[in-house]
Amino acid sequence: YLGPAIIKARLFDLGSYPGIAEGDEDVVGEIYDVDEETLNNLDAIEGYRESAPESSLYLRKPIAARKLADGTSTDVETYFYSCPNEKTIKGLDYRAFRLGKENEQWVIAYGSNISTERINNRLKRGKLPLAQDYIKGTLPGYELVFNKQAGGNNSVYANIRFKEGAEGCPAVAWKLTQEQVAVIDRCEGVSSGHYLKVGMPLKSDDGSTSMAICYIAHPSMIVEAGKVQESYRALVRAGYDEMGWVWPKR
C-alpha cells in the first residue's frame, strides 16, 4: 500500500460497486505496488482480457496519479469500466459516497474538530443539535501534519499524511446526521476544493476497525513552509487534552 491519490476521471455508481470513465474530475483512489501474479489475478477479478478488450468488463489503462501525501505525480495502471453510463455520483470518493447515504455517519476529526466545544460551536451556527457520541482511535499509517494552506498570510491548518511505518494519527469519529455532516463539509471547504472527503478506516481503542468519513487536504492546497497560528494550535491541542492524548513533539 503506497497511500491515497487522485486521478482525472469520472466516477459513477453501478449499484454495488463503482466504475470510472474518461473525465476531468479528481477521483480518489489508492495506489498499490503489486507483482505480476497479483496483477493477473486483478485482471481476472475485474474481467479484463488483454486479448479481447471488446468483451472485457473493465479495461486496464495507464494514467497519471497525484499522491495526496505530497502532491507528486506518478504513473499507475487502473481499470476503466467498458460501458460507462450517466449515473455520475455526487462526490469524488466511492466509499464516502456510500457512507453518505446513511442517516447517521461517523466523521473523523484529527484537527480542531477533536474538541467537543469546537465542533459543537460549528453545529450551533448551523442551528443543529450538538454532537454527543464519539469513538476514539487512530488512523493507521498516517501522521498529523500542519501543511494545508489556510489563507494568504502563509498560515496552515491540520492535515494527515500517509507515511509507511507510521504508528498512526490519533483521531475521533463523531456520530453525525446528514445535516450535521453538511455543516462540517462547508467548514472544511469540500465544495471549493480545500479538503477531499474520503472514506478511511479508523482503528478504535477497543481494537475494532470501521470505515468513516475523513477530510484530507487536496494536493493543490499543500504548503511545506507555512506557519501554524497559535490560536489554531490551541484549538487542536485543546482536543488532545480533552481526549487524554500526548501532544506530539515537533
Side-chain angles (χ1 to χ4, degrees), residues 15 18 20 61 72 102 115 124 132 136 150 154 157 177 186 200-201 208 235 242:
I20 60 168
K61 302 178 183 180
T72 58
E102 302 296 327
S115 165
K124 285 177 184 177
Q132 297 182 7
K136 293 169 60 178
N154 200 37
Y157 291 149
T177 65
R186 290 194 293 272
M200 289 275 291
S208 62
L235 287 172
E242 180 182 345

PDB file of all heavy atoms in Angstrom, residues 15 18 20 61 72 102 115 124 132 136 150 154 157 177 186 200-201 208 235 242:
ATOM      1  N   GLY A  15     -24.319   0.312  -8.662  1.00  0.00           N
ATOM      2  CA  GLY A  15     -25.245  -0.391  -7.780  1.00  0.00           C
ATOM      3  C   GLY A  15     -24.562  -0.988  -6.572  1.00  0.00           C
ATOM      4  O   GLY A  15     -24.885  -0.648  -5.442  1.00  0.00           O
ATOM      5  N   PRO A  18     -18.261   0.590  -7.899  1.00  0.00           N
ATOM      6  CA  PRO A  18     -18.109   1.792  -8.719  1.00  0.00           C
ATOM      7  C   PRO A  18     -17.515   1.501 -10.081  1.00  0.00           C
ATOM      8  O   PRO A  18     -17.038   0.398 -10.362  1.00  0.00           O
ATOM      9  CB  PRO A  18     -17.139   2.632  -7.894  1.00  0.00           C
ATOM     10  CG  PRO A  18     -16.236   1.611  -7.276  1.00  0.00           C
ATOM     11  CD  PRO A  18     -17.096   0.404  -6.996  1.00  0.00           C
ATOM     12  N   ILE A  20     -15.254   3.920 -13.338  1.00  0.00           N
ATOM     13  CA  ILE A  20     -14.786   5.218 -13.800  1.00  0.00           C
ATOM     14  C   ILE A  20     -14.719   5.221 -15.318  1.00  0.00           C
ATOM     15  O   ILE A  20     -14.597   4.173 -15.958  1.00  0.00           O
ATOM     16  CB  ILE A  20     -13.408   5.604 -13.220  1.00  0.00           C
ATOM     17  CG1 ILE A  20     -12.337   4.578 -13.629  1.00  0.00           C
ATOM     18  CG2 ILE A  20     -13.462   5.798 -11.733  1.00  0.00           C
ATOM     19  CD1 ILE A  20     -10.916   5.057 -13.328  1.00  0.00           C
ATOM     20  N   LYS A  61      -5.812   0.523 -18.053  1.00  0.00           N
ATOM     21  CA  LYS A  61      -5.111   1.549 -18.829  1.00  0.00           C
ATOM     22  C   LYS A  61      -4.127   2.298 -17.937  1.00  0.00           C
ATOM     23  O   LYS A  61      -4.339   2.422 -16.731  1.00  0.00           O
ATOM     24  CB  LYS A  61      -6.107   2.564 -19.413  1.00  0.00           C
ATOM     25  CG  LYS A  61      -7.176   1.975 -20.319  1.00  0.00           C
ATOM     26  CD  LYS A  61      -8.113   3.093 -20.783  1.00  0.00           C
ATOM     27  CE  LYS A  61      -9.247   2.558 -21.638  1.00  0.00           C
ATOM     28  NZ  LYS A  61     -10.153   3.660 -22.078  1.00  0.00           N
ATOM     29  N   THR A  72       2.993  14.824  -5.445  1.00  0.00           N
ATOM     30  CA  THR A  72       3.807  14.367  -6.566  1.00  0.00           C
ATOM     31  C   THR A  72       2.993  13.443  -7.468  1.00  0.00           C
ATOM     32  O   THR A  72       2.066  12.771  -7.030  1.00  0.00           O
ATOM     33  CB  THR A  72       5.061  13.627  -6.086  1.00  0.00           C
ATOM     34  OG1 THR A  72       4.684  12.505  -5.264  1.00  0.00           O
ATOM     35  CG2 THR A  72       5.960  14.556  -5.295  1.00  0.00           C
ATOM     36  N   GLU A 102     -26.105   6.961   4.525  1.00  0.00           N
ATOM     37  CA  GLU A 102     -26.661   6.612   5.833  1.00  0.00           C
ATOM     38  C   GLU A 102     -27.208   7.857   6.533  1.00  0.00           C
ATOM     39  O   GLU A 102     -26.660   8.950   6.410  1.00  0.00           O
ATOM     40  CB  GLU A 102     -25.583   5.972   6.710  1.00  0.00           C
ATOM     41  CG  GLU A 102     -24.947   4.723   6.121  1.00  0.00           C
ATOM     42  CD  GLU A 102     -25.935   3.588   5.957  1.00  0.00           C
ATOM     43  OE1 GLU A 102     -26.865   3.488   6.798  1.00  0.00           O
ATOM     44  OE2 GLU A 102     -25.785   2.802   4.992  1.00  0.00           O
ATOM     45  N   SER A 115     -12.022  18.673  19.479  1.00  0.00           N
ATOM     46  CA  SER A 115     -12.599  19.346  20.636  1.00  0.00           C
ATOM     47  C   SER A 115     -14.122  19.359  20.563  1.00  0.00           C
ATOM     48  O   SER A 115     -14.701  19.776  19.554  1.00  0.00           O
ATOM     49  CB  SER A 115     -12.073  20.782  20.711  1.00  0.00           C
ATOM     50  OG  SER A 115     -12.843  21.566  21.585  1.00  0.00           O
ATOM     51  N   LYS A 124     -23.741  24.693  16.206  1.00  0.00           N
ATOM     52  CA  LYS A 124     -24.644  25.728  16.728  1.00  0.00           C
ATOM     53  C   LYS A 124     -24.898  26.801  15.676  1.00  0.00           C
ATOM     54  O   LYS A 124     -26.027  27.290  15.536  1.00  0.00           O
ATOM     55  CB  LYS A 124     -24.035  26.373  17.979  1.00  0.00           C
ATOM     56  CG  LYS A 124     -24.101  25.529  19.232  1.00  0.00           C
ATOM     57  CD  LYS A 124     -23.407  26.257  20.384  1.00  0.00           C
ATOM     58  CE  LYS A 124     -23.365  25.413  21.633  1.00  0.00           C
ATOM     59  NZ  LYS A 124     -22.630  26.083  22.744  1.00  0.00           N
ATOM     60  N   GLN A 132     -22.640  14.351  20.190  1.00  0.00           N
ATOM     61  CA  GLN A 132     -22.501  13.739  21.508  1.00  0.00           C
ATOM     62  C   GLN A 132     -21.684  12.445  21.455  1.00  0.00           C
ATOM     63  O   GLN A 132     -20.721  12.290  22.205  1.00  0.00           O
ATOM     64  CB  GLN A 132     -23.883  13.467  22.114  1.00  0.00           C
ATOM     65  CG  GLN A 132     -24.704  14.725  22.361  1.00  0.00           C
ATOM     66  CD  GLN A 132     -26.043  14.420  22.999  1.00  0.00           C
ATOM     67  OE1 GLN A 132     -26.321  13.295  23.386  1.00  0.00           O
ATOM     68  NE2 GLN A 132     -26.880  15.438  23.109  1.00  0.00           N
ATOM     69  N   LYS A 136     -12.941   6.992  20.038  1.00  0.00           N
ATOM     70  CA  LYS A 136     -11.530   7.350  19.997  1.00  0.00           C
ATOM     71  C   LYS A 136     -10.746   6.241  19.313  1.00  0.00           C
ATOM     72  O   LYS A 136     -11.043   5.063  19.478  1.00  0.00           O
ATOM     73  CB  LYS A 136     -10.989   7.568  21.412  1.00  0.00           C
ATOM     74  CG  LYS A 136     -11.559   8.771  22.112  1.00  0.00           C
ATOM     75  CD  LYS A 136     -11.201   8.781  23.580  1.00  0.00           C
ATOM     76  CE  LYS A 136      -9.713   8.805  23.830  1.00  0.00           C
ATOM     77  NZ  LYS A 136      -9.379   8.866  25.272  1.00  0.00           N
ATOM     78  N   ALA A 150      -4.017  27.863   4.661  1.00  0.00           N
ATOM     79  CA  ALA A 150      -5.162  28.433   5.357  1.00  0.00           C
ATOM     80  C   ALA A 150      -5.618  29.754   4.770  1.00  0.00           C
ATOM     81  O   ALA A 150      -6.777  30.125   4.900  1.00  0.00           O
ATOM     82  CB  ALA A 150      -4.831  28.622   6.836  1.00  0.00           C
ATOM     83  N   ASN A 154       0.271  32.922   4.820  1.00  0.00           N
ATOM     84  CA  ASN A 154       1.232  31.841   4.989  1.00  0.00           C
ATOM     85  C   ASN A 154       0.909  30.936   6.177  1.00  0.00           C
ATOM     86  O   ASN A 154       1.766  30.203   6.654  1.00  0.00           O
ATOM     87  CB  ASN A 154       2.661  32.388   5.153  1.00  0.00           C
ATOM     88  CG  ASN A 154       3.718  31.345   4.848  1.00  0.00           C
ATOM     89  OD1 ASN A 154       3.553  30.530   3.940  1.00  0.00           O
ATOM     90  ND2 ASN A 154       4.807  31.351   5.592  1.00  0.00           N
ATOM     91  N   TYR A 157      -3.334  24.832   8.269  1.00  0.00           N
ATOM     92  CA  TYR A 157      -4.218  24.062   9.126  1.00  0.00           C
ATOM     93  C   TYR A 157      -3.745  22.613   9.186  1.00  0.00           C
ATOM     94  O   TYR A 157      -2.826  22.203   8.474  1.00  0.00           O
ATOM     95  CB  TYR A 157      -5.654  24.106   8.588  1.00  0.00           C
ATOM     96  CG  TYR A 157      -6.336  25.444   8.684  1.00  0.00           C
ATOM     97  CD1 TYR A 157      -7.283  25.821   7.738  1.00  0.00           C
ATOM     98  CD2 TYR A 157      -6.060  26.328   9.723  1.00  0.00           C
ATOM     99  CE1 TYR A 157      -7.940  27.050   7.821  1.00  0.00           C
ATOM    100  CE2 TYR A 157      -6.702  27.552   9.813  1.00  0.00           C
ATOM    101  CZ  TYR A 157      -7.641  27.906   8.859  1.00  0.00           C
ATOM    102  OH  TYR A 157      -8.274  29.114   8.940  1.00  0.00           O
ATOM    103  N   THR A 177     -25.531  13.360  11.900  1.00  0.00           N
ATOM    104  CA  THR A 177     -26.588  13.200  10.904  1.00  0.00           C
ATOM    105  C   THR A 177     -26.119  13.783   9.567  1.00  0.00           C
ATOM    106  O   THR A 177     -25.107  14.482   9.503  1.00  0.00           O
ATOM    107  CB  THR A 177     -27.859  13.931  11.347  1.00  0.00           C
ATOM    108  OG1 THR A 177     -27.584  15.347  11.394  1.00  0.00           O
ATOM    109  CG2 THR A 177     -28.314  13.452  12.719  1.00  0.00           C
ATOM    110  N   ARG A 186     -19.032  22.210   4.761  1.00  0.00           N
ATOM    111  CA  ARG A 186     -18.841  23.632   4.441  1.00  0.00           C
ATOM    112  C   ARG A 186     -17.654  24.209   5.203  1.00  0.00           C
ATOM    113  O   ARG A 186     -16.863  24.986   4.652  1.00  0.00           O
ATOM    114  CB  ARG A 186     -20.122  24.417   4.754  1.00  0.00           C
ATOM    115  CG  ARG A 186     -21.278  24.117   3.811  1.00  0.00           C
ATOM    116  CD  ARG A 186     -22.383  25.150   3.945  1.00  0.00           C
ATOM    117  NE  ARG A 186     -23.038  25.095   5.243  1.00  0.00           N
ATOM    118  CZ  ARG A 186     -24.073  24.327   5.530  1.00  0.00           C
ATOM    119  NH1 ARG A 186     -24.576  23.516   4.605  1.00  0.00           N
ATOM    120  NH2 ARG A 186     -24.633  24.350   6.732  1.00  0.00           N
ATOM    121  N   MET A 200     -12.235   6.381   5.168  1.00  0.00           N
ATOM    122  CA  MET A 200     -10.982   5.939   5.774  1.00  0.00           C
ATOM    123  C   MET A 200     -11.261   4.930   6.880  1.00  0.00           C
ATOM    124  O   MET A 200     -12.244   5.067   7.615  1.00  0.00           O
ATOM    125  CB  MET A 200     -10.239   7.136   6.385  1.00  0.00           C
ATOM    126  CG  MET A 200      -9.656   8.093   5.383  1.00  0.00           C
ATOM    127  SD  MET A 200      -8.034   7.565   4.810  1.00  0.00           S
ATOM    128  CE  MET A 200      -7.079   7.802   6.308  1.00  0.00           C
ATOM    129  N   PRO A 201     -10.391   3.922   7.042  1.00  0.00           N
ATOM    130  CA  PRO A 201     -10.545   3.012   8.181  1.00  0.00           C
ATOM    131  C   PRO A 201     -10.018   3.628   9.465  1.00  0.00           C
ATOM    132  O   PRO A 201      -8.911   4.174   9.498  1.00  0.00           O
ATOM    133  CB  PRO A 201      -9.702   1.794   7.765  1.00  0.00           C
ATOM    134  CG  PRO A 201      -8.677   2.329   6.829  1.00  0.00           C
ATOM    135  CD  PRO A 201      -9.316   3.496   6.126  1.00  0.00           C
ATOM    136  N   SER A 208     -11.249  -2.753  17.250  1.00  0.00           N
ATOM    137  CA  SER A 208     -12.056  -2.957  16.048  1.00  0.00           C
ATOM    138  C   SER A 208     -11.739  -1.880  15.014  1.00  0.00           C
ATOM    139  O   SER A 208     -11.234  -0.803  15.350  1.00  0.00           O
ATOM    140  CB  SER A 208     -13.545  -2.934  16.394  1.00  0.00           C
ATOM    141  OG  SER A 208     -13.920  -1.666  16.917  1.00  0.00           O
ATOM    142  N   LEU A 235      -6.598  25.375  19.579  1.00  0.00           N
ATOM    143  CA  LEU A 235      -7.835  24.629  19.362  1.00  0.00           C
ATOM    144  C   LEU A 235      -7.560  23.136  19.224  1.00  0.00           C
ATOM    145  O   LEU A 235      -8.264  22.300  19.810  1.00  0.00           O
ATOM    146  CB  LEU A 235      -8.534  25.139  18.099  1.00  0.00           C
ATOM    147  CG  LEU A 235      -9.206  26.507  18.163  1.00  0.00           C
ATOM    148  CD1 LEU A 235      -9.673  26.929  16.774  1.00  0.00           C
ATOM    149  CD2 LEU A 235     -10.383  26.487  19.135  1.00  0.00           C
ATOM    150  N   GLU A 242      -8.421  17.151  25.947  1.00  0.00           N
ATOM    151  CA  GLU A 242      -9.736  16.608  26.303  1.00  0.00           C
ATOM    152  C   GLU A 242      -9.763  15.084  26.180  1.00  0.00           C
ATOM    153  O   GLU A 242     -10.356  14.392  27.012  1.00  0.00           O
ATOM    154  CB  GLU A 242     -10.805  17.219  25.393  1.00  0.00           C
ATOM    155  CG  GLU A 242     -12.211  16.710  25.674  1.00  0.00           C
ATOM    156  CD  GLU A 242     -13.246  17.299  24.720  1.00  0.00           C
ATOM    157  OE1 GLU A 242     -12.933  18.295  24.032  1.00  0.00           O
ATOM    158  OE2 GLU A 242     -14.370  16.747  24.658  1.00  0.00           O
TER     159      GLU A 242
END
